[in-house]
Amino acid sequence: MSGIFFVLRSSFADFKRSKMKTFLTSLGILIGVFAVVTLTALGLGLKKYISDQFEALGRNTLFIIPGQVLQGGSFSASSFLGGNFDIKDLTGLSRIRDIKSIAPISTKSGDVKSHKKTEYVTIFFSSADFKDITGLNVSKGRFFNKSDVGKKAKVLVAGKTIAEKLFGTPDQAVGQRVSIDNINFEIIGILKSTGGGGFGGSDYDAYMFGPYTTGYVFDPGKKFIRFAIKYNENANVNVVKEEINKVMLRRYKSDDYSLIEPSQLMSAINSIFAVINIVLVALASISLLVGGIGIMNIMYVTVSDKTKEVGIRRALGARKNDILIQFLIESVILSVIGGVLGLVLAYLGVLAVQSVFPAYVDVGSVILALGVSSGIGILFGVFPAKKASDLTPVEAIRYE
Amino acid sequence: MIKLVNVNKVYKVDEETDFYALKNANLEIKDREFVAIVGPSGSGKSTLMHIIGLLDKPTSGELLIDGKNVSKLNDDAISSLRNEFVGFVFQQFNLIPKLTVLENILLPVMYARRPIKYDPEKKALALIQKFGLSGKESSYPNKISGGQQQRVAILRALIMEPRLILADEPTGNLDSRTGEGIMNLLKNLNQDEKITVAVVTHEAEIAAFAGRKIKVMDGKIVKTK
Ligand SMILES: Nc1ncnc2c1ncn2[C@@H]1O[C@H](COP(=O)(O)OP(=O)(O)OP(=O)(O)O)[C@@H](O)[C@H]1O
Ligand SMILES: [Mg+2]
């Protein structure tokens, strides 16, 4: 029997005898670790989800949107309102040599009626390049092309989910008619599902798409809310941006539009999430702190409960450090029990919400949680343990 | 082997008054002696034993072991001396309830800082056999009789092969027949194993087992014969 095993065994014997006390003592740490791990899992999951969405936009992509969007890494809401751009901008931008494809975008939301049903849908009107820039694919029928745009053809492409809702099975939707504000459209294609989980975001499955010229029927002003641009792979992004700015500044002040690089946006989002995560972890840490104080409290009680035992051990030759370590091990075990249980619960919780929320537990937060909980065991155990080891042997052994 | 020179143990009652639990105590216990420390309740017997056994420190005076002054040793060194040199037996047995008989007996081994030349577990099992505790190895202290518990305590005191055994009222919680058994046991250890034994008691019959009585009265050693 080696020493440390003996100490562990004797600690566990104590825990076994007072299971309820052990559990309640560990509970604070359990909740703290659970909170830290779950909240970081949610934060990290959300961040990963959003960056995945940007990844999906692909490389060599730029956006032009109205207003000022990025000021010191934060969004201003006004930038998402209203459309300002028009066909002149499109023509001007299309002339830039390094721009491979450009999609003007306007939207219309309203009731879309099939012969069976009515659904509230958002329709994106754009150019034929839209398919290329977004990487969308049709599973049935075709995407609208340049000639549809030229003819202002009353055609729409539907996402998988909305096609299902309107027509039952998506496969039967091609060739069917729908009406919006009493204007008739033909469904010419169905998109392959883009997935996107159950969580908001740019899940294309729920939308419909049509030529931007067709969209004019809903907007006499003929405005676009943004441009999505794909530039040549070997072009220098700064040169492309400069060219775009040259075109835009002919008609707008520099405050009236923003030229966005997704990577730039990503770093803004990353910094926002860094702050959110720190706040979440700080909040959750409060419960860890409370848990630690709970352990300290119980350890003080344990020390007076075990005064006699300390005296016996000292009489048998235990040094101060042996006693100190014994109590430290006990408080570390208590908090690690809480930590492990909290971790298991957090893991199960994350598994449970994963189907609706993109949460994931990363190794870092596991190591952190266990490290922190044993750290708390040491930190909050050390004062009671010191008290135990500083008892004089004779006082301890005379204690009843 | 043990020598106390002008030992005082003083407790502060309040700001002005000091209480002398031991006053100017001088005493020598020789190697392989069997002594009884006797005296009325509150006279200072336990205090004396705690000082001899290095559980307590004198307020002043010196404690010599084999002629060496141990009063100045640090806490770790004193702990090691308690571990290797002395074995304690108490009136309340003082076994650790959550540990089994065998684990209790082996507890001092856990605190040994020097390699032990024998296999402690084997030795413990042999002692258990010899002292009639066979079959109780994995029992817990509250599941065995008082006399058995005191024997376990004695085995725990013996496991490190100490040169001195200090017993404070070892029979105080036992009936007279069981108490006599324990005293015989200590006597045999003294005679056969050549271990020095000091027993604190206030009973004359118990003191009669010893070769010499040390009488304590009001903190003073009044007679050693
Ligand atoms: N921590 C302490 N503070 C103050 N007085 C103490 C303390 N410890 C012991 N005493 C006193 O010292 C005196 C001697 O105590 P001790 O325990 O040595 O007596 P004893 O001879 O062993 O008595 P008994 O036979 O009842 O065990 C007692 O009067 C006791 O009250
Ligand atoms: Mg006493």
Side-chain angles (χ1 to χ4, degrees):
Chain A
M1 265 184 284
S2 74
I4 194 87
F5 171 80
F6 208 78
V7 174
L8 285 176
R9 181 167 150 9
S10 119
S11 297
F12 276 107
D14 285 341
F15 296 151
K16 237 165 78 186
R17 278 197 315 172
S18 43
K19 290 192 195 80
M20 200 52 169
K21 187 180 108 186
T22 304
F23 173 71
L24 289 177
T25 309
S26 304
L27 192 61
I29 301 294
L30 188 160
I31 291 170
V33 167
F34 175 77
V36 169
V37 175
T38 314
L39 289 178
T40 47
L42 296 182
L44 286 173
L46 198 54
K47 178 178 151 188
K48 185 173 182 302
Y49 177 83
I50 290 173
S51 54
D52 284 351
Q53 295 295 316
F54 276 97
E55 287 279 290
L57 286 173
R59 297 154 60 79
N60 312 316
T61 313
L62 290 169
F63 293 90
I64 305 171
I65 65 169
Q68 278 308 106
V69 105
L70 282 168
Q71 288 299 338
S74 66
F75 290 94
S76 66
S78 69
S79 56
F80 291 108
L81 301 174
N84 292 329
F85 310 125
D86 59 24
I87 189 78
K88 279 187 191 158
D89 302 317
L90 179 63
T91 323
L93 292 166
S94 303
R95 288 203 193 103
I96 297 172
R97 197 161 37 87
D98 281 330
I99 289 185
K100 201 164 80 178
S101 35
I102 175 162
I105 292 161
S106 61
T107 61
K108 156 80 182 164
S109 295
D111 283 335
V112 175
K113 291 180 191 159
S114 71
H115 60 281
K116 297 185 181 168
K117 279 179 98 175
T118 302
E119 288 285 339
Y120 188 83
V121 185
T122 295
I123 304 158
F124 286 84
F125 293 106
S126 188
S127 65
D129 283 351
F130 187 79
K131 177 174 176 290
D132 190 35
I133 292 173
T134 53
L136 292 174
N137 281 310
V138 282
S139 65
K140 186 107 185 167
R142 61 178 182 86
F143 207 78
F144 59 85
N145 55 29
K146 279 207 169 91
S147 115
D148 294 317
V149 174
K151 288 188 295 194
K152 299 190 182 184
K154 301 264 186 321
V155 292
L156 290 174
V157 174
K160 184 166 175 282
T161 333
I162 190 63
E164 242 161 36
K165 280 187 180 156
L166 285 168
F167 304 104
T169 53
D171 285 355
Q172 290 170 0
V174 176
Q176 302 271 11
R177 303 203 149 264
V178 292
S179 71
I180 304 154
D181 295 358
N182 293 318
I183 304 167
N184 285 323
F185 294 84
E186 185 191 345
I187 304 290
I188 55 166
I190 306 300
L191 294 179
K192 268 201 190 117
S193 174
T194 55
F199 182 77
S202 60
D203 172 7
Y204 289 113
D205 293 358
Y207 301 124
M208 297 177 102
F209 307 86
Y212 69 89
T213 49
T214 312
Y216 288 163
V217 299
F218 300 111
D219 178 20
K222 301 183 178 178
K223 297 287 189 191
F224 304 128
I225 55 165
R226 61 177 179 264
F227 291 107
I229 292 166
K230 200 149 203 159
Y231 54 90
N232 285 325
E233 260 162 59
N234 38 20
N236 178 329
V237 64
N238 291 321
V239 175
V240 178
K241 282 163 81 174
E242 210 172 291
E243 294 279 321
I244 291 173
N245 280 328
K246 244 188 251 168
V247 172
M248 295 303 287
L249 287 172
R250 267 184 239 144
R251 301 185 65 211
Y252 304 95
K253 291 203 289 287
S254 63
D255 285 354
D256 291 340
Y257 73 96
S258 301
L259 182 52
I260 296 173
E261 243 184 294
S263 63
Q264 215 180 28
L265 207 53
M266 248 342 277
S267 71
I269 287 170
N270 277 338
S271 60
I272 292 169
F273 272 99
V275 174
I276 292 177
N277 268 338
I278 288 169
V279 171
L280 289 180
V281 168
L283 286 177
S285 302
I286 293 173
S287 50
L288 272 181
L289 182 73
V290 173
I293 292 169
I295 286 195
M296 179 149 72
N297 187 19
I298 289 299
M299 286 310 294
Y300 270 120
V301 175
T302 307
V303 169
S304 26
D305 285 353
K306 290 195 182 169
T307 301
K308 186 90 184 179
E309 181 183 322
V310 169
I312 296 168
R313 288 177 186 268
R314 293 284 271 146
L316 300 178
R319 297 179 176 194
K320 284 187 173 195
N321 269 341
D322 294 325
I323 302 297
L324 187 81
I325 287 167
Q326 179 190 337
F327 280 89
L328 270 187
I329 285 178
E330 196 157 312
S331 69
V332 168
I333 292 174
L334 273 177
S335 59
V336 169
I337 287 176
V340 168
L341 289 180
L343 197 61
V344 169
L345 275 188
Y347 187 72
L348 294 178
V350 166
L351 275 188
V353 299
Q354 238 162 15
S355 56
V356 290
F357 196 95
Y360 76 100
V361 178
D362 76 331
V363 190
S365 65
V366 171
I367 294 171
L368 190 77
L370 294 181
V372 164
S373 58
S374 31
I376 283 175
I378 292 174
L379 187 71
F380 289 90
V382 78
F383 296 102
K386 190 94 181 67
K387 187 186 166 200
S389 70
D390 280 344
L391 291 167
T392 69
V394 73
E395 267 177 315
I397 201 124
R398 275 181 186 261
Y399 184 91
E400 284 310 321
Chain B
M1 177 169 67
I2 301 267
K3 203 167 173 181
L4 267 68
V5 183
N6 295 331
V7 166
N8 288 295
K9 181 71 193 179
V10 186
Y11 293 108
K12 273 218 166 336
V13 179
D14 54 51
E15 290 290 326
E16 291 107 67
T17 10
D18 285 343
F19 175 79
Y20 280 79
L22 281 181
K23 193 162 175 126
N24 211 17
N26 288 285
L27 166 72
E28 187 171 1
I29 300 174
K30 296 215 164 59
D31 219 355
R32 300 179 185 185
E33 238 191 317
F34 190 155
V35 299
I37 300 169
V38 295
S41 182
S43 56
K45 306 183 295 294
S46 294
T47 307
L48 181 64
M49 196 199 92
H50 291 147
I51 285 174
I52 295 172
L54 300 154
L55 278 175
D56 205 356
K57 280 198 158 135
T59 312
S60 63
E62 281 170 5
L63 172 65
L64 306 174
I65 295 177
D66 294 334
K68 245 176 48 194
N69 188 350
V70 295
S71 313
K72 303 263 172 336
L73 291 179
N74 68 20
D75 193 79
D76 284 355
I78 288 178
S79 301
S80 287
L81 269 181
R82 279 199 294 269
N83 184 243
E84 296 163 9
F85 176 73
V86 205
F88 288 98
V89 178
F90 300 94
Q91 179 175 355
Q92 288 91 356
F93 320 136
N94 284 348
L95 300 175
I96 293 182
K98 68 191 165 195
L99 300 180
T100 63
V101 163
L102 182 61
E103 286 167 343
N104 265 291
I105 294 172
L106 285 170
L107 197 53
V109 174
M110 180 179 160
Y111 299 116
R113 297 288 159 146
R114 273 192 260 178
I116 299 172
K117 293 188 189 76
Y118 47 92
D119 178 349
E121 196 156 344
K122 251 191 207 149
K123 183 180 170 80
L125 291 169
L127 285 171
I128 285 172
Q129 188 105 43
K130 184 174 165 198
F131 286 73
L133 288 166
S134 296
K136 303 290 183 194
E137 292 85 350
S138 354
S139 303
Y140 288 91
N142 61 351
K143 297 275 154 53
I144 59 177
S145 74
Q148 288 169 332
Q149 286 185 57
Q150 196 59 301
R151 270 181 281 163
V152 172
I154 292 172
L155 298 199
R156 183 178 65 183
L158 285 173
I159 191 71
M160 295 296 291
E161 301 192 336
R163 285 173 55 205
L164 172 67
I165 284 190
L166 296 174
D168 193 349
E169 311 260 10
T171 62
N173 278 1
L174 303 171
D175 60 66
S176 54
R177 257 193 49 204
T178 317
E180 228 167 83
I182 293 292
M183 287 313 293
N184 275 319
L185 221 151
L186 289 173
K187 194 169 179 178
N188 291 340
L189 288 174
N190 174 249
Q191 284 174 354
D192 306 343
E193 314 285 332
K194 317 286 186 237
I195 299 173
T196 310
V197 178
V199 177
V200 170
T201 184
H202 57 259
E203 290 174 64
E205 306 88 67
I206 299 298
F209 280 86
R212 176 164 72 104
K213 292 187 192 71
I214 297 168
K215 192 160 188 196
V216 188
M217 284 284 258
D218 295 329
K220 290 181 209 123
I221 293 169
V222 291
K223 184 167 74 168
T224 88
K225 70 153 197 210

